[in-house]
């Protein structure tokens, strides 16, 4: 992944859920360092306030300035009493995309995309929550279903509940299912975001969860409170050592190609072409994050 050919690449290290019925939260989100803001009309809004939340969000998004953050609206399910009205209300707003909850098949995703397009939202990108056993089993089908889909967002709480898994700090019971979704996303070149960490007071556990998400291969992690943004962005931002290593790999591979070789050697370690892809990806993320002035980016 070379940043020179990935103009549309954008970081999705952190995705902050903002309840759409809370005006003060929407206002606060305008100054936060979230790569993605998900204005939530679904799970965080009680049924008695769904219509109020929708009206408030439409009003607030008349001012669509949320800095560099990607602006996403999570609507209610299409077969709920509110889903179709949500789509009709937000499809033509100045937002980047729509997150559809609890997608369980490629057909369901395509129906959601069609509903968005029919409401004049054909220029909006699409994200999908996978949060059920059936969704996990059909993750590859979902990721392959539509070119409009850019990102999968895991709903780990609902998934764990459906699986009857005891959620421990290391999330041992969920790792297989998370990896299945990561595999599906990567097979179809989609971004994938981990579910949130819910203990707001345990900083150590939050940092562990963020770094685990990074090491599993997630592009980012959902966030439920602004206090988590610092840990999340930091964990998923390349550090100085990563950049030095990436630049060394690219330089060595360029020299190897000039010498007519397909591999390089750095410090007695064989460098294969796939590591050049890793290096380009790291530098691309570093470059994009540096452009927005977020993250720990010094080379020292």
């Amino acid at each position: 992944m070379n940043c020179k050919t990935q103009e549309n690449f954008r970081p999705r290290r952190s995705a902050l859920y903002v309840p759409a019925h809370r005006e003060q939260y929407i206002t606060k989100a305008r100054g936060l360092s979230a790569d993605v803001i998900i204005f939530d009309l679904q799970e965080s809004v009680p049924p008695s306030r769904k219509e109020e939340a929708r009206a408030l969000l439409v009003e607030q998004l008349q001012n669509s300035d949320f800095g560099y953050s990607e602006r996403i609206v999570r609507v209610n399910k299409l077969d709920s009493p509110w889903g179709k009205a949500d789509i009709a209300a937000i499809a033509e707003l100045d937002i980047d995309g729509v997150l559809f909850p609890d997608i369980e098949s490629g057909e369901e995703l395509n129906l959601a995309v069609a509903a968005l397009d029919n409401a004049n939202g054909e220029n909006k990108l699409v994200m999908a929550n996978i949060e059920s056993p059936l969704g996990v089993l059909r993750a590859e089908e979902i990721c392959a279903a539509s070119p409009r889909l850019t990102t999968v967002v895991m709903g780990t709480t609902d998934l764990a509940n459906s699986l009857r898994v005891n959620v421990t700090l290391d999330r041992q019971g969920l790792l297989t299912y998370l990896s299945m979704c990561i595999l599906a996303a990567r097979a179809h070149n989609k971004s994938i975001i981990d579910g949130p960490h819910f203990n707001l007071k345990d900083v150590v556990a939050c940092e562990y969860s963020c770094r685990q998400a990074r090491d599993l291969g997630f592009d980012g992690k959902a966030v439920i409170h602004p206090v988590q943004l610092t840990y999340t962005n930091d964990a998923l931002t390349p550090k100085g050592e990563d950049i030095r290593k990436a630049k060394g790999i690219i330089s060595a591979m360029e020299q190897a190609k000039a010498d007519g070789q397909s591999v390089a050697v750095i410090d007695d370690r064989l460098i294969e072409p796939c590591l050049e892809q890793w290096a380009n990806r790291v530098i691309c993320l570093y470059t994009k994050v540096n452009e927005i002035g977020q993250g720990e980016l010094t080379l020292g």
Side-chain angles (χ1 to χ4, degrees):
M1 180 178 184
N2 192 319
C3 235
K4 293 178 181 178
T5 60
Q6 295 290 330
E7 292 84 359
N8 294 325
F9 172 81
R10 64 184 305 160
R12 293 189 175 108
R13 299 164 300 165
S14 53
L16 175 67
Y17 281 108
V18 177
H21 65 303
R22 297 298 186 98
E23 182 176 359
Q24 68 272 32
Y25 293 170
I26 298 173
T27 299
K28 185 174 183 179
R30 295 186 187 278
L32 296 176
S33 58
D35 288 347
V36 184
I37 297 174
I38 301 174
F39 303 101
D40 189 22
L41 292 169
Q42 195 233 359
E43 197 164 45
S44 64
V45 179
S48 63
R49 302 190 68 179
K50 295 286 190 183
E51 294 183 6
E52 172 194 344
R54 185 193 306 130
L56 175 62
L57 185 60
V58 169
E59 176 188 340
Q60 289 293 309
L61 288 176
Q62 298 308 307
N63 175 4
S64 59
D65 183 6
F66 286 83
Y68 74 90
S69 301
E70 190 172 26
R71 299 150 301 167
I72 305 296
V73 175
R74 179 163 71 171
V75 297
N76 288 279
K77 286 182 68 68
L78 287 182
D79 60 1
S80 74
W82 312 281
K84 292 178 181 177
D86 288 345
I87 292 173
I90 60 92
E92 296 187 74
L93 294 177
D94 184 18
I95 58 174
D96 296 295
V98 177
L99 171 60
F100 291 100
D102 195 21
I103 295 295
E104 293 190 314
S105 70
E107 180 183 8
E108 187 176 1
L109 177 66
N110 283 327
L111 287 172
V113 173
L116 179 60
D117 290 354
N118 290 338
N120 297 320
E122 62 276 355
N123 63 331
K124 303 296 190 290
L125 63 83
V126 170
M127 297 184 178
N129 276 138
I130 291 182
E131 48 190 319
S132 71
L134 194 55
V136 172
L137 286 172
R138 293 177 175 166
E140 195 275 335
E141 173 189 318
I142 292 167
C143 290
S146 172
R148 292 279 295 287
L149 180 71
T150 65
T151 306
V152 169
V153 183
M154 298 303 302
T156 47
T157 301
D158 287 338
L159 179 60
N161 184 56
S162 296
L163 291 167
R164 304 177 189 173
V165 167
N166 291 324
V167 181
T168 56
L169 179 60
D170 62 7
R171 299 195 295 177
Q172 185 65 38
L174 282 177
L175 295 183
T176 295
Y177 315 108
L178 295 177
S179 294
M180 288 171 65
C181 293
I182 294 168
L183 180 63
R186 295 297 175 238
H188 295 282
N189 197 29
K190 311 298 183 184
S191 299
I192 184 164
I193 296 173
D194 191 14
H197 178 77
F198 282 91
N199 189 333
L200 299 178
K201 293 185 177 181
D202 192 335
V203 174
V204 173
C206 182
E207 289 183 321
Y208 177 88
S209 181
C210 293
R211 297 180 194 285
Q212 183 194 52
R214 175 199 64 197
D215 293 343
L216 284 172
F218 284 104
D219 296 289
K221 190 168 179 67
V223 172
I224 58 170
H225 193 283
V227 73
Q228 298 175 322
L229 287 170
T230 298
Y231 311 125
T232 307
N233 285 337
D234 178 72
L236 290 143
T237 298
K239 302 300 186 291
E241 182 57 33
D242 298 320
I243 303 305
R244 281 191 289 268
K245 180 179 177 182
K247 288 183 175 180
I249 288 172
I250 291 172
S251 177
M253 286 302 299
E254 287 177 348
Q255 184 60 53
K257 291 172 188 176
D259 295 339
Q261 303 295 322
S262 60
V263 297
V265 177
I266 299 178
D267 297 329
D268 298 322
R269 181 185 177 188
L270 189 69
I271 305 299
E272 297 181 287
C274 64
L275 287 178
E276 187 177 14
Q277 296 173 9
W278 170 86
N280 277 317
R281 185 171 66 249
V282 167
I283 290 175
C284 185
L285 177 58
Y286 168 84
T287 302
K288 293 292 184 177
V289 172
N290 194 42
E291 287 174 0
I292 60 177
Q294 298 293 334
E296 185 178 317
L297 298 171
T298 60
L299 295 182

